Amino acid sequence: MELKITCIPGDGIGPEIVAQAKKVVDKAGEVYGFTPIYTDILMGGASIDVHGVPLTDEAIATAKSADAVLMGSIGGDTTKSPWYKLPPNLRPEAGLLKIRKALNLFANLRPALLYKELAGACPLKEEISSKGFDIMIMRELTGGLYFGDRKTVEENGVRKAIDTLTYDENEIRRIAIKGFDIARKRKQKVTSVDKANVLDSSRLWRSVVEEVAKDYPDVILEHMLVDNCAMQLVKDPAQFDVILTENMFGDILSDEASMVTGSIGMLASASLNDTKFGLYEPSHGSAPDIAGLDVANPIATILSAAMMLRYSFDLDDAADAIEAAVQQVLQEGYRTGDIYSENCKKVGCKEMGELIASRVK
Ligand code: IPM
Ligand code: MG
């Protein structure tokens, strides 16, 4: 079986971490009998440097013709890079928003889990972290404030900026259905997060989520206001299973949840549409300060590749094997700098990729 995969190495540490993920997927292909065919496209700063825009239509067409997209990271240092002198629609991040919209990737899955081996890196008190946690943040990714009309105007000498937050019931329903489907395969609980005490869009969100919940009597639904959710994530993260929320809230809460794990270099993500197609990327950014030094942690990208095999290709055995290989390498004490603790063996990006690939069985 051939797997058509478009790769976006991107900027910063992107190219080095994607190279390691490919290595691991290749090894899984040898063991489980599939052949990945990769086609690279440029996005973000890398595309700006060559084409003057963060994503070309040809690149989108290439991505669309594949079965899945594996991405590293995009963007640079916003205070220093010349990319950030460009108008907002030509900056690296605009490429990411464009591909999400063009490929209709409305469901963003961001797992935040505490690895037993890395529990020491969790910044929470031991009485909280010892309970462990395994949260799936389901973020709506193609609506809300990110894609509403926006403009900056000047009225009577006063500058004024307007961003609009819009959701229709269909956009809410389709992400809610994905959220409940995923909760069904986990601990059967959905926490829907909104700001229904203030926002109309949140009140609609809440009522549509309640309608969808009727088809899932086996899944517990609770509603939580977003400010409270931000507190609960540090107070008692073990209470959560699936957190279902809109675009902007999900952006913020997923960063918080990943920080709480203490190991953002370990967290994968998937952005899915209605079909099996998906874009898979680590939850962390492009870390331009350590780019090219062979010290980045490739595990989040490797685990994203495992999600790709699971969700886009139904290769659950291969995905399990990659996840087990990551676990094994951690148990053997290998660590990149970001997750290093005393008495462990420090390795670089490349060596970590090779170690994991060699343990895929
Ligand atoms: C993310 C990022 C993006 C977002 C940025 C880079 C536009 O923060 O994927 O969470 O806000 O969605
Ligand atoms: Mg973000």
Side-chain angles (χ1 to χ4, degrees):
M1 176 164 106
E2 285 189 352
L3 318 187
K4 282 175 78 182
I5 302 168
T6 294
C7 288
I8 306 178
D11 308 319
I13 58 172
E16 11 180 348
I17 54 182
V18 168
Q20 301 318 310
K22 281 183 181 170
K23 221 178 260 173
V24 175
V25 172
D26 288 344
K27 176 65 190 295
E30 283 166 29
V31 179
Y32 290 90
F34 59 83
T35 312
I37 314 276
Y38 307 106
T39 312
D40 282 4
I41 59 170
L42 296 175
M43 193 168 96
S47 175
I48 296 172
D49 290 345
V50 176
H51 301 294
V53 291
L55 184 68
T56 62
D57 292 341
E58 294 75 55
I60 292 177
T62 305
K64 272 191 181 157
S65 70
D67 301 312
V69 179
L70 180 63
M71 182 185 145
S73 50
I74 53 122
D77 182 333
T78 51
T79 59
K80 291 192 200 123
S81 164
W83 300 329
Y84 296 93
K85 299 230 158 53
L86 296 166
N89 63 329
L90 292 179
R91 292 181 195 168
E93 288 70 14
L96 185 56
L97 299 185
K98 191 170 168 189
I99 202 165
R100 285 175 181 167
K101 197 69 174 179
L103 302 178
N104 197 26
L105 305 171
F106 64 86
N108 184 209
L109 282 62
R110 298 191 165 180
L113 68 150
L114 191 65
Y115 283 84
K116 209 169 55 269
E117 295 82 0
L118 306 177
C122 173
L124 302 179
K125 284 199 191 125
E126 221 218 295
E127 64 201 69
I128 302 174
S129 64
S130 60
K131 288 201 246 163
F133 56 89
D134 177 355
I135 306 170
M136 179 65 87
I137 302 207
M138 296 279 310
R139 169 189 178 194
E140 199 292 325
L141 202 60
T142 53
L145 274 172
Y146 277 63
F147 293 96
D149 288 338
R150 71 178 95 256
K151 64 178 174 186
T152 305
V153 293
E154 195 168 314
E155 284 172 4
N156 305 323
V158 179
R159 285 172 300 156
K160 178 164 133 184
I162 301 158
D163 294 287
T164 41
L165 168 45
T166 312
Y167 270 107
D168 71 37
E169 59 179 307
N170 298 327
E171 290 174 299
I172 301 169
R173 192 169 294 111
R174 63 183 184 177
I175 182 79
I177 289 170
K178 284 246 190 217
F180 278 93
D181 282 344
I182 284 177
R184 205 166 237 177
K185 293 192 192 158
R186 295 171 46 98
K187 285 176 274 168
Q188 292 95 36
K189 182 175 174 192
V190 169
T191 304
S192 175
V193 173
D194 62 39
K195 189 71 185 171
N197 53 347
V198 179
L199 303 175
D200 262 18
S201 56
S202 282
R203 287 186 274 269
L204 181 64
W205 181 278
R206 209 175 259 221
S207 74
V208 175
V209 169
E210 272 176 5
E211 285 161 28
V212 171
K214 292 201 182 104
D215 294 331
Y216 297 83
D218 49 324
V219 177
I220 296 167
L221 167 66
E222 66 173 20
H223 299 285
M224 193 178 279
L225 296 173
V226 61
D227 45 355
N228 184 28
C229 183
M231 290 200 296
Q232 296 301 327
L233 275 172
V234 288
K235 194 171 157 228
D236 180 20
Q239 70 183 285
F240 295 108
D241 178 22
V242 171
I243 291 181
L244 172 67
T245 194
E246 64 92 54
N247 203 345
M248 179 71 124
F249 298 158
D251 178 45
I252 299 167
L253 294 176
S254 62
D255 266 24
E256 184 189 3
S258 64
M259 194 62 224
V260 164
T261 68
S263 41
I264 183 162
M266 304 285 299
L267 302 179
S269 86
S271 304
L272 309 175
N273 67 14
D274 277 326
T275 68
K276 290 260 155 204
F277 187 91
L279 180 148
Y280 301 84
E281 58 170 321
S283 281
H284 59 73
S286 61
D289 51 320
I290 57 163
L293 302 179
D294 192 37
V295 297
N297 184 351
I299 295 181
T301 318
I302 291 168
L303 292 173
S304 300
M307 283 181 102
M308 172 181 80
L309 297 180
R310 192 184 298 288
Y311 290 111
S312 284
F313 298 107
D314 291 320
L315 290 163
D316 290 285
D317 290 348
D320 289 345
I322 292 175
E323 287 166 5
V326 168
Q327 205 81 40
Q328 188 184 336
V329 166
L330 291 178
Q331 270 156 16
E332 290 170 25
Y334 295 102
R335 303 281 189 274
T336 43
D338 58 314
I339 51 174
Y340 179 79
S341 58
E342 234 180 301
N343 299 325
C344 290
K345 294 169 250 184
K346 199 184 252 181
V347 296
C349 179
K350 212 161 152 252
E351 192 176 351
M352 183 56 103
E354 276 153 16
L355 283 163
I356 294 168
S358 70
R359 282 152 181 74
V360 172
K361 303 243 160 54

